[in-house]
Amino acid sequence: MQKSITHSVPCSGISITGQHKTTVTLFPAPPDTGIVFVRDDLPGKPQVECKTKYARTDSRWTSLVKNNIHIEHTEHILAAITGLGIDNIKIHMDSSHIPVVSQFSSASFVNALLQAEPVLQHIPKRYLTVTEPKWVFDSFTYQGERYDSILMALPNRQPMFTYLLEYPGNQLPTQLANYKHTTDLAFASELSEARSYIIDYEYDQVAKLIGSSIDQCLVFSNGTANKLRWDNEPARHKLVDLIGDLTTIGIPVQGHFIGIRTGHKTNIMMAKKLFEGFGGDVR
């Protein structure tokens, strides 16, 4: 059955640009509403539905853009919503930015949604089911050599996500993370606290982009960082991003998604490919 929340709840943090505090307030929504963002700060309170046709990858995060109305930095809140199995919700915003919370993880969003008491609704849940293998490719250059990224979608009865993190320059240890969505609380315990990260040589570049919010980033130097929550925390966070980005499809997916050196760009490429009907079936 579809799921919403029982009552509204706010969640606050700093904008991803590090310029100001921002708050989202999560509200219940009727069955078949989907995920809808509401810009309370703009005249007429325009709405932006969570759909792949509005998805954009900007710099280091994902956004939704409809009629030049921006919803910035969507991946972590969308991962929390999908991770808890919630289908119908309205997210009221006081700026264009979803807040950065709990050190660029999804944990505070998960906690807020649990406080709002998820509740089953009377309409059956619909899925986009992967019925045949599909894949998307991208590539990058490191020290003059080309390296490929690939994201695969394979048929599977349950949502399952695997990520292989591998840097050609060994800036981080090669690591694997795997997540199988067995219960709506599994995401909370296995992935929600995995934090975004940067590598020390990126610090100045990223600081120019996100300002003071960089203070919440996990920083790796010489392949290590202090007080990791899991040995493979970076790979787990890549799964958070993947789940959040695939949420832009607008309905939950059933399949096994395997990413190798992938990121927001490939995630959204896959979301668009599935939504447009190449191997997906809405049931």
Side-chain angles (χ1 to χ4, degrees), residues 113-153:
L113 289 164
L114 291 176
Q115 290 173 22
E117 300 178 16
V119 60
L120 291 175
Q121 298 174 299
H122 64 280
I123 300 296
K125 188 187 290 280
R126 297 184 305 136
Y127 294 93
L128 188 150
T129 301
V130 178
T131 58
E132 60 181 356
K134 291 295 171 184
W135 53 87
V136 294
F137 286 98
D138 197 14
S139 63
F140 60 95
T141 301
Y142 178 75
Q143 294 186 349
E145 293 190 33
R146 170 180 163 155
Y147 294 87
D148 291 323
S149 304
I150 182 171
L151 177 58
M152 295 174 282

Side-chain angles (χ1 to χ4, degrees), residues 9 105 107 122 169 174 195 262:
V9 63
S105 76
H122 64 280
T174 298
R195 297 163 290 177
T262 50

Side-chain angles (χ1 to χ4, degrees), residues 4-275:
S4 185
I5 54 178
T6 304
H7 55 82
S8 63
V9 63
C11 192
S12 299
I14 193 170
S15 69
I16 197 166
T17 58
Q19 296 174 329
H20 54 85
K21 182 180 177 181
T22 181
T23 298
V24 293
T25 305
L26 311 173
F27 282 84
D32 291 331
T33 298
I35 303 169
V36 180
F37 295 89
V38 184
R39 286 288 304 275
D40 287 346
D41 59 311
L42 295 179
K45 299 184 178 181
Q47 299 187 6
V48 178
E49 301 83 7
C50 182
K51 294 183 177 180
T52 51
K53 64 181 178 180
Y54 303 134
R56 307 284 188 273
T57 49
D58 302 319
S59 302
R60 300 176 70 96
W61 59 84
T62 300
S63 301
L64 298 171
V65 183
K66 177 186 178 183
N67 297 330
N68 207 33
I69 306 299
H70 286 244
I71 311 296
E72 301 281 346
H73 181 220
T74 57
E75 59 270 21
H76 299 160
I77 194 169
L78 291 181
I81 291 167
T82 292
L84 293 182
I86 294 170
D87 305 280
N88 304 302
I89 193 167
K90 286 199 171 184
I91 305 165
H92 287 251
M93 305 172 59
D94 63 0
S95 78
S96 62
H97 292 93
I98 302 295
V100 173
V101 299
S102 49
Q103 294 181 284
F104 280 94
S105 76
S106 287
S108 293
F109 294 129
V110 166
N111 292 337
L113 289 164
L114 291 176
Q115 290 173 22
E117 300 178 16
V119 60
L120 291 175
Q121 298 174 299
H122 64 280
I123 300 296
K125 188 187 290 280
R126 297 184 305 136
Y127 294 93
L128 188 150
T129 301
V130 178
T131 58
E132 60 181 356
K134 291 295 171 184
W135 53 87
V136 294
F137 286 98
D138 197 14
S139 63
F140 60 95
T141 301
Y142 178 75
Q143 294 186 349
E145 293 190 33
R146 170 180 163 155
Y147 294 87
D148 291 323
S149 304
I150 182 171
L151 177 58
M152 295 174 282
L154 305 176
N156 200 63
R157 291 185 178 182
Q158 287 182 303
M160 189 170 180
F161 305 89
T162 301
Y163 191 87
L164 175 66
L165 185 147
E166 195 269 342
Y167 282 83
N170 296 316
Q171 294 91 339
L172 291 183
T174 298
Q175 53 194 258
L176 183 73
N178 186 66
Y179 172 72
K180 187 175 184 179
H181 188 82
T182 52
T183 71
D184 288 342
L185 291 179
F187 179 87
S189 61
E190 295 183 36
L191 293 183
S192 72
E193 293 188 357
R195 297 163 290 177
S196 185
Y197 66 93
I198 61 172
I199 303 171
D200 52 5
Y201 68 82
E202 302 176 291
Y203 190 94
D204 291 341
Q205 175 189 1
V206 177
K208 291 179 182 178
L209 182 65
I210 67 174
S212 62
S213 61
I214 197 169
D215 294 340
Q216 297 200 51
C217 278
L218 180 64
V219 180
F220 279 83
S221 181
N222 297 320
T224 61
N226 292 327
K227 298 180 180 178
L228 287 176
R229 292 169 178 169
W230 299 275
D231 289 343
N232 64 344
E233 185 172 358
R236 288 185 189 234
H237 186 80
K238 289 290 190 178
L239 292 183
V240 172
D241 287 344
L242 175 57
I243 292 169
D245 288 340
L246 290 177
T247 300
T248 63
I249 291 172
I251 57 174
V253 292
Q254 288 182 325
H256 185 183
F257 294 86
I258 304 171
I260 302 172
R261 299 182 182 141
T262 50
H264 294 300
K265 181 180 177 182
T266 41
N267 297 345
I268 296 302
M269 288 168 61
M270 176 62 78
K272 290 179 182 290
K273 188 168 190 175
L274 289 176
F275 186 78

